[in-house]
Amino acid sequence: MPAVRVDGIEVAYDRVGQGPPLVLAHGATADARLFRPQAEDLTDEFTVVAWDEPGAGRSSDVPPAFTLADYARCLAAVIEDVDLGPAHVLGASWGGTVVLELYRHHAALVRTLLLVDTYAGWKGSLPAAEVRSRVEGAERMLAVPAEAFAPTMPGLFAGRPPAEAVRLLSVMSADTRAQSMRTELTVMAEADLRDLLPKIEVPTLLLWGELDARSPVDPVARQFLEAIPRATLVVLPGIGHLSNIEAPEPFNRTVREFCLAHS
């Protein structure tokens, strides 16, 4: 298992395949295992790198004062450790917000951006009332005794999720650490990256599930499309928030075509 240390925090990641680097950043209550469908399919043409963000999976816990820039600095360290030059960097949901912050501070490490069902931070993409509702829901979830802690995120799928996806999400959810999740959600709720979007100069793929209830195509994906100069929007019909595991075949095909076009 490759790993890199950043200010005393060990950040673990998976690395498979050969070719241009494709770095994958997962969302909340998940880890590198979220991207199994991509790691299994795209390694014939890419070096696929999926991290366990600080506080998730095999990586170290994060201190309560950890910031969005700290997450981005750790992701930058992973890309530098892979040592294959600028990467195609994909972020799903909360992971997309981290990837945007990576671009703000470490643009030279980014060949292209792939933003999947994501946000410019909750504050930057959602109405204030929706942000308050999500924060309150998270606080209720985090307030339960440790033995009863079982984080869930509503609205992840548009239809009936594949059985294997349900099992995978259950395993990752059971491994979620309450304090790390609290830090992550606090950062997400306060993040507003709208100022960055017009400054993005690399080719950017916006890949969205048509029926994403957590980060709706309209207005969130449209916000990105209007603001990012070199953005392309691809919408997967009938698919929800976790598009990479609800529709892995069209998802992988779209990612492959975009990255090859810009490698």
Side-chain angles (χ1 to χ4, degrees), residues 102-115:
L102 170 79
Y103 184 82
R104 184 192 296 278
H105 297 288
H106 310 277
L109 297 176
V110 179
R111 181 184 297 274
T112 67
L113 287 173
L114 298 89
L115 304 176

Side-chain angles (χ1 to χ4, degrees), residues 172-193:
M172 290 190 294
S173 178
D175 289 341
T176 299
R177 303 166 222 169
Q179 184 54 57
S180 291
M181 184 176 178
R182 180 184 298 279
T183 300
E184 175 185 272
L185 291 174
T186 299
V187 171
M188 187 61 166
E190 297 174 353
D192 184 350
L193 282 72

Side-chain angles (χ1 to χ4, degrees), residues 143-150 178:
V144 301
E147 62 274 12
F149 180 62

Side-chain angles (χ1 to χ4, degrees), residues 78-101:
V78 169
I79 297 173
E80 290 169 340
D81 197 54
V82 171
D83 197 24
L84 291 176
H88 304 289
V89 187
L90 182 154
S93 191
W94 145 255
T97 305
V98 174
V99 163
L100 285 170
E101 188 74 357

Side-chain angles (χ1 to χ4, degrees), residues 23 43 74 96 103 129 133 137 146-147 155 170 177 193 212 216 218 227 238 256:
V23 175
T43 54
C74 290
Y103 184 82
S133 176
E147 62 274 12
S170 297
R177 303 166 222 169
L193 282 72
D212 186 344
D218 193 1
R256 182 188 297 273

